[in-house]
Amino acid sequence: MPTIQQAVETAVGPLVTPLVLKSILNTLQDATQEAGSLDVLRVQMLVDQVASGLKVFNAKFDDVSLRKLKAQLSMGALPAPATTKLTISSDADVVIALRQCQVMTRRFFTATDVVRINTAVSELARNAHMYAGHGDLTLTLSEHLVGYSMAIVISDEGPGIPAHVLEMTGKYVSKTGLGRGLIGTRALLDEFNIESQPGRTVIRGLKRSRHQ
Amino acid sequence: MKLGTCLFVSVPNELQDSQARALQEALSQRLSRESAIRGLVIDVSALGMVDSFAAKILGETANIATSFGAHAVLVGIRPGVAITLVELGIDLNHVDTALTLEDALKKLKLKVVTDDEAPRS
């Protein structure tokens, strides 16, 4: 398995002088980690680092080189998904979750989609805290052939969402804050699914980006 | 922050729920104590996201201002926030908004005076 250093050398080497390449490699941290085992966030971070390093030297670094570098870093396959797992048991945890969500989404989604995803996470995390005391949140950022997706899963062991709130058809207008919040959250995402019974609730949401 | 008969408040980013409630409480106290306050400008430009809870707090705060004889205006709603509020189905139509601080003050039809000239309550 090649290292990150080797991957960068292969992709960037032909474009720059040995001196510039050495400079770039010096700025990379964790350069001994194996390429290919990196997740989406890490790959993008390394690409950004190399790209800005090359800019300093006015090196030609276009889309093709970018894709080549990405391919080298992930060994031709799509990079592994980046996953964050958090427990929400307080107000502060919601803020932490949102911060993490912001970090995961800002390079891969449009500004408005970032707001949509963050808002959805905020709604769901807050609900879990408010109605169930605490919940487990998992955020997964994945790369696909045509773009990226952010999957949100939140589960709790609370009293469950009442059946009448769950009957969310397009025309149904819920009276309760919970129902309205859920209908609203569904509108922000591309996929939305709720499984709820007393003692266990699992809500899954997904937002896709378009290929940049 | 007070400027004449106007109260300005900037809502910081990453506000925890308890802090939001505390802010609302502090504003209510201030409004009830100082009868001379006629305008409340709420700057939300630091908010990258407004969810249903935050929207509820903002709406309530505007209503609280009204009940104390003051008019509230929201300033600085980011485009992404405006879009998601509509998509969420949140109705903040009863709250006045303005694009800029200048517009907000025009709406409030108040002349901005310094604290020195503010009426004693």
Side-chain angles (χ1 to χ4, degrees):
Chain A
M1 264 277 243
T3 64
I4 294 177
Q5 293 238 350
Q6 289 168 332
V8 172
E9 269 182 55
T10 311
V12 172
L15 300 171
V16 297
T17 65
L19 201 62
V20 171
L21 178 63
K22 191 154 186 271
S23 283
I24 304 281
L25 290 175
N26 281 344
T27 65
L28 293 178
Q29 295 158 344
D30 293 327
T32 52
Q33 194 181 332
E34 286 178 348
S37 62
L38 306 166
D39 68 28
V40 189
L41 275 176
R42 190 102 175 86
V43 167
Q44 189 61 47
M45 205 180 74
L46 285 164
V47 168
D48 288 344
Q49 253 182 296
V50 172
S52 57
L54 285 169
K55 268 202 190 104
V56 170
F57 294 103
N58 283 321
K60 218 180 102 186
F61 196 63
D62 53 15
D63 268 343
V64 175
S65 326
L66 237 161
R67 259 182 274 133
K68 252 197 198 136
L69 175 57
K70 255 193 186 174
Q72 281 297 321
L73 285 168
S74 33
M75 293 291 294
L78 290 171
T83 306
T84 303
K85 288 196 207 284
L86 295 151
T87 309
I88 311 286
S89 27
S90 69
D91 287 357
D93 290 339
V94 178
V95 173
I96 292 170
L98 288 172
R99 250 184 233 154
Q100 189 58 32
C101 190
Q102 176 78 13
V103 166
M104 289 172 87
T105 52
R106 66 182 173 208
R107 280 195 197 89
F108 304 92
F109 294 85
T110 64
T112 313
D113 273 349
V114 169
V115 180
R116 286 190 181 101
I117 296 169
N118 285 359
T119 308
V121 170
S122 186
E123 291 283 338
L124 295 174
R126 178 171 291 106
N127 276 354
H129 173 47
M130 225 184 340
Y131 295 98
H134 67 268
D136 294 310
L137 173 71
T138 306
L139 298 171
T140 308
L141 172 69
S142 313
E143 180 169 341
H144 309 277
L145 288 172
V146 289
Y148 301 88
S149 70
M150 176 64 122
I152 307 164
V153 181
I154 184 139
S155 63
D156 67 68
E157 284 158 18
I161 302 170
H164 65 274
V165 173
L166 283 177
E167 283 167 29
M168 297 186 296
T169 66
K171 295 203 177 76
Y172 180 76
V173 176
S174 163
K175 295 270 189 291
T176 70
L178 175 61
R180 269 215 305 273
L182 289 172
I183 293 174
T185 306
R186 184 175 66 171
L188 295 173
L189 303 168
D190 296 324
E191 284 174 28
F192 192 66
N193 177 259
I194 304 175
E195 287 164 24
S196 184
Q197 63 226 22
R200 182 137 179 91
T201 301
V202 182
I203 301 181
R204 290 168 222 275
L206 186 85
K207 181 82 191 143
R208 292 188 199 93
S209 78
R210 292 309 305 162
H211 188 55
Q212 290 144 2
Chain B
M1 183 168 67
K2 185 174 171 189
L3 209 67
T5 57
C6 230
L7 260 190
F8 288 80
V9 61
S10 270
V11 181
N13 196 9
E14 291 194 348
L15 204 62
Q16 284 182 33
D17 290 9
S18 49
Q19 293 167 333
R21 282 272 179 227
L23 181 60
Q24 190 186 55
E25 177 64 30
L27 276 173
S28 310
Q29 295 274 355
R30 192 90 194 259
L31 286 166
S32 71
R33 272 200 332 259
E34 302 176 42
S35 55
I37 294 179
R38 307 302 303 278
L40 172 65
V41 178
I42 307 174
D43 170 23
V44 294
S45 58
L47 293 182
M49 173 210 76
V50 173
D51 63 6
S52 61
F53 179 77
K56 190 167 79 129
I57 296 285
L58 289 171
E60 284 175 0
T61 307
N63 289 341
I64 291 169
T66 306
S67 61
F68 284 116
H71 186 68
V73 183
L74 287 183
V75 175
I77 298 174
R78 293 196 199 166
V81 170
I83 291 171
T84 41
L85 280 176
V86 169
E87 289 177 2
L88 269 174
I90 287 172
D91 179 11
L92 275 178
N93 292 334
H94 67 284
V95 183
D96 206 357
T97 62
L99 212 54
T100 65
L101 190 53
E102 207 181 335
D103 291 339
L105 293 173
K106 275 194 204 147
K107 281 195 177 202
L108 289 168
K109 287 192 185 118
L110 293 170
K111 208 173 73 170
V112 174
V113 297
T114 61
D115 262 5
D116 292 339
E117 298 172 38
R120 285 176 222 120
S121 45

